[in-house]
Amino acid sequence: MRRKAQIMGLIKNNFVKYQRKCHALIMRKPTLTDNKTQHPLTFTPATGGHDMFRAAFQGRLHGALAHNLGVQILGGVYKSGDILPNEIDSSESLDISRSAYREAIRILASKGMVESRPKIGTRVTERDRWNILDPEVLGWMFETEPSEDFIKGLFELRLITEPAAAALAAERRTPDQIERMRKALEVMEAETLASEAGRMADLEFHHTLMFATHNEALASLSTTIGAAVSWTTRYKQRHKSLSRDPIPDHARVFEAIERGDASAARWCMESLVRMALEDTQKSMSPQT
Amino acid sequence: MRRKAQIMGLIKNNFVKYQRKCHALIMRKPTLTDNKTQHPLTFTPATGGHDMFRAAFQGRLHGALAHNLGVQILGGVYKSGDILPNEIDSSESLDISRSAYREAIRILASKGMVESRPKIGTRVTERDRWNILDPEVLGWMFETEPSEDFIKGLFELRLITEPAAAALAAERRTPDQIERMRKALEVMEAETLASEAGRMADLEFHHTLMFATHNEALASLSTTIGAAVSWTTRYKQRHKSLSRDPIPDHARVFEAIERGDASAARWCMESLVRMALEDTQKSMSPQT
DNA sequence: GACGCATATTTGTCTGACTATATCAATCGG
DNA sequence: CCGATTGATATAGTCAGACAAATATGCGTC
């Protein structure tokens, strides 16, 4: 194995030199960079680009493709049971290599959205099998206006988990976590939710809260829900100015947690989420 | 661009032929087939092989590798912040191609467990960033004995979501779903949880229940939790025979849902989960 | 009519080369 | 002496083309 590699290396080196020469002679290198500017797949952060998500595929081809395909599937361009064109055709028509295409498909497959088998192709799975709680998938979901039912469902989930989590957090939080939440709250007060920094602080607040439950599964769910919250908040903002100031609600939750009052924390959080749902619904109903 | 490729292709083709010749001469190709029979990665379904999960990577190399790496990461072989050996070395030492290795890494990356950047390598991310609610990840988790805290956390999550879901299901279930739950219950009664079929019926019961909430997010969470339930059940079984018969609990939940009594459904479900937690804890404590 | 077998098609795997990118060090300018 | 620019280097990312494996489909045989 090694021996082979060595020998091949020797042979190759000379050839590569020749190749480079040809390369340079035949045609100025298109550098791929100026090609990329018009590549149909360059990830255009149309959504504003939360760092959290952008990080996942900053300019990586397979990531961008997975994103696009994911959005298309969620948006109904490909329906459950549809079979995408085979790898050769797909990669060719997208003007990318088969490897890149395959890696994109692997990403989708790992989120349960497609399933590929030899001789069959790559099939979009049933909707109830795909993993919509994956933060990335959730992000894709919000690229196209998600259905009202879906958003309602999301809030229902928040309404179930977050109050319970707040109660647990009130019992288990560490002083350090209280400090972090206090800081986040201060930032929120200063910036309001209209700014990116304010939304980030909101996210930090909820995330720290979930983390304070010292429950790994719950914390993970938080990351997801946090993502959703951030999306809906943005969504809400876009349609009309916020009708109520959510800061007092947050402050009440915080105080309850700080003094370790579990049932108060639960109750305040429930009211907070309910308000948020109301706001979101209000901002959605006009265009119904 | 095209032209370049063509010309290079011509030049290369001849070279490649020569290369192959050398290749063949220097060392017989191990045909991969007879190599594979003893391939260290052949997925041995040590866990018994739930169809649901096995389907994800039936013999696929990248799937098996993702599985192995995933288990190793979850098991602490690679810690957060560790950087795995580079792609060339890894794929060589595993005796697989770089593509297969890369696809495995993509799977892991899409679950948030690793993050790879040029010149840095592939780094294991912070534990709180990985997506433990992904059904596959959860499955991997149970390959090595998960920590008691983790299991407790999982049950806490069940304790939060399932009663609420039962209440919603009581209000929204369709006749069809009642029928499916009844059937599942019957199977459970006939087979008990000791058999595979019985466990499957249990899973079907919970899944249908979650589905009956007509809440997509909740249903997705159910798939995950269902997976967890099935794993813990198996886990429980392995250590000692079940101490209590869980069928009556299920029956009570079912009846409440059938007659649309939301608060009863919530209450019965809560008691069911609590019992299950107790059983699981009992079967874990001995070896503490 | 049922069962086994060939075939064709599609994903899966392999190989090797090249590109892009980001870190780190060294060098140059202030 | 310090800082910014630049270059070297190592690593993931992309590409291209071949071959292997799997399996649904259709054919042929019994």
Side-chain angles (χ1 to χ4, degrees), chain A residues 118-266:
Chain A
K119 171 71 183 181
I120 295 298
T122 300
R123 179 201 304 274
V124 180
T125 56
E126 311 298 316
R127 188 180 177 93
D128 63 351
R129 281 197 32 203
W130 59 73
N131 210 326
I132 52 172
L133 288 182
D134 180 294
E136 262 182 295
V137 175
L138 210 45
W140 299 341
M141 201 85 185
F142 281 90
E143 297 267 318
T144 73
E145 311 271 294
S147 80
E148 190 166 342
D149 273 353
F150 177 73
I151 300 218
K152 265 210 236 48
L154 225 42
F155 270 96
E156 222 164 59
L157 183 56
R158 278 190 77 184
L159 213 46
I160 291 169
T161 55
E162 296 220 42
L168 287 176
E171 289 165 359
R172 302 180 187 169
R173 79 285 181 285
T174 64
D176 176 54
Q177 283 156 343
I178 291 188
E179 236 17 74
R180 288 184 61 183
M181 288 175 70
R182 190 199 307 282
K183 283 229 183 65
L185 202 54
E186 276 165 16
V187 175
M188 278 176 73
E189 274 168 2
E191 305 268 354
T192 80
L193 284 190
S195 79
E196 189 68 26
R199 279 195 292 269
M200 277 311 194
D202 184 28
L203 234 157
E204 162 81 2
F205 182 86
H206 285 272
H207 191 265
T208 308
L209 190 154
M210 288 299 222
F211 216 72
T213 61
H214 292 274
N215 178 329
E216 219 181 339
L218 216 40
S220 174
L221 189 56
S222 139
T223 309
T224 295
I225 297 197
V229 171
S230 134
W231 287 111
T232 49
T233 308
R234 170 190 308 280
Y235 191 70
K236 196 158 61 177
Q237 287 282 331
R238 208 180 46 202
H239 284 285
K240 56 180 58 186
S241 70
L242 202 54
S243 35
R244 304 172 10 101
D245 182 14
I247 309 285
D249 292 318
H250 281 73
R252 266 195 294 279
V253 171
F254 171 70
E255 281 157 22
I257 290 179
E258 188 182 21
R259 66 174 191 272
D261 185 342
S263 67
R266 177 191 313 257

Side-chain angles (χ1 to χ4, degrees), chain B residues 21-245:
Chain B
K21 213 158 138 188
C22 293
H23 190 115
L25 276 175
I26 295 171
M27 168 171 284
R28 76 173 191 86
K29 188 158 43 174
T31 337
L32 184 61
T33 323
D34 53 11
N35 187 18
K36 200 180 179 183
T37 51
Q38 74 224 28
H39 198 291
L41 270 180
T42 34
F43 174 61
T44 51
T47 60
H50 255 286
D51 279 15
M52 198 161 67
F53 297 126
R54 205 173 48 74
F57 36 70
Q58 35 191 358
R60 265 50 174 268
L61 210 38
H62 52 259
L65 177 54
H67 172 103
N68 281 12
L69 282 178
V71 170
Q72 284 182 341
I73 291 177
L74 289 169
V77 179
Y78 296 105
K79 294 178 187 52
S80 289
D82 283 5
I83 291 184
L84 334 177
N86 70 38
E87 292 183 347
I88 309 268
D89 292 352
S90 295
S91 56
E92 217 161 77
S93 72
L94 288 166
D95 210 12
I96 64 175
S97 74
R98 223 186 122 198
S99 341
Y101 179 79
R102 278 181 60 77
E103 292 188 15
I105 292 296
R106 280 283 85 65
I107 294 177
L108 258 34
S110 106
K111 297 183 187 315
M113 298 177 68
V114 301
E115 182 183 44
S116 39
R117 292 162 57 193
K119 171 71 181 180
I120 295 299
T122 301
R123 179 201 306 272
V124 180
T125 56
E126 311 298 317
R127 189 181 176 93
D128 62 351
R129 284 201 27 207
W130 58 74
N131 210 324
I132 52 171
L133 288 183
D134 180 293
E136 263 182 295
V137 175
L138 210 45
W140 299 342
M141 201 86 186
F142 281 89
E143 298 265 317
T144 72
E145 310 272 295
S147 80
E148 189 166 342
D149 273 352
F150 178 73
I151 299 218
K152 266 208 243 13
L154 224 41
F155 270 96
E156 222 164 60
L157 184 56
R158 280 191 76 184
L159 213 46
I160 291 169
T161 56
E162 297 222 39
L168 287 177
E171 289 165 359
R172 303 181 185 168
R173 79 283 182 286
T174 64
D176 175 55
Q177 283 156 343
I178 291 188
E179 235 18 73
R180 288 183 62 183
M181 288 175 70
R182 189 198 308 282
K183 284 232 182 64
L185 203 54
E186 277 164 15
V187 175
M188 278 176 72
E189 273 166 4
E191 305 268 355
T192 80
L193 283 190
S195 80
E196 190 67 27
R199 279 195 292 270
M200 276 312 194
D202 183 28
L203 234 156
E204 163 80 3
F205 182 86
H206 284 273
H207 191 264
T208 308
L209 190 153
M210 287 299 220
F211 216 71
T213 61
H214 292 273
N215 178 329
E216 219 182 338
L218 216 40
S220 173
L221 189 57
S222 139
T223 309
T224 295
I225 297 195
V229 170
S230 133
W231 286 112
T232 49
T233 309
R234 171 190 308 279
Y235 191 70
K236 197 159 61 178
Q237 287 282 333
R238 207 181 46 207
H239 284 284
K240 55 180 58 185
S241 69
L242 203 54
S243 35
R244 302 173 11 101
D245 182 14

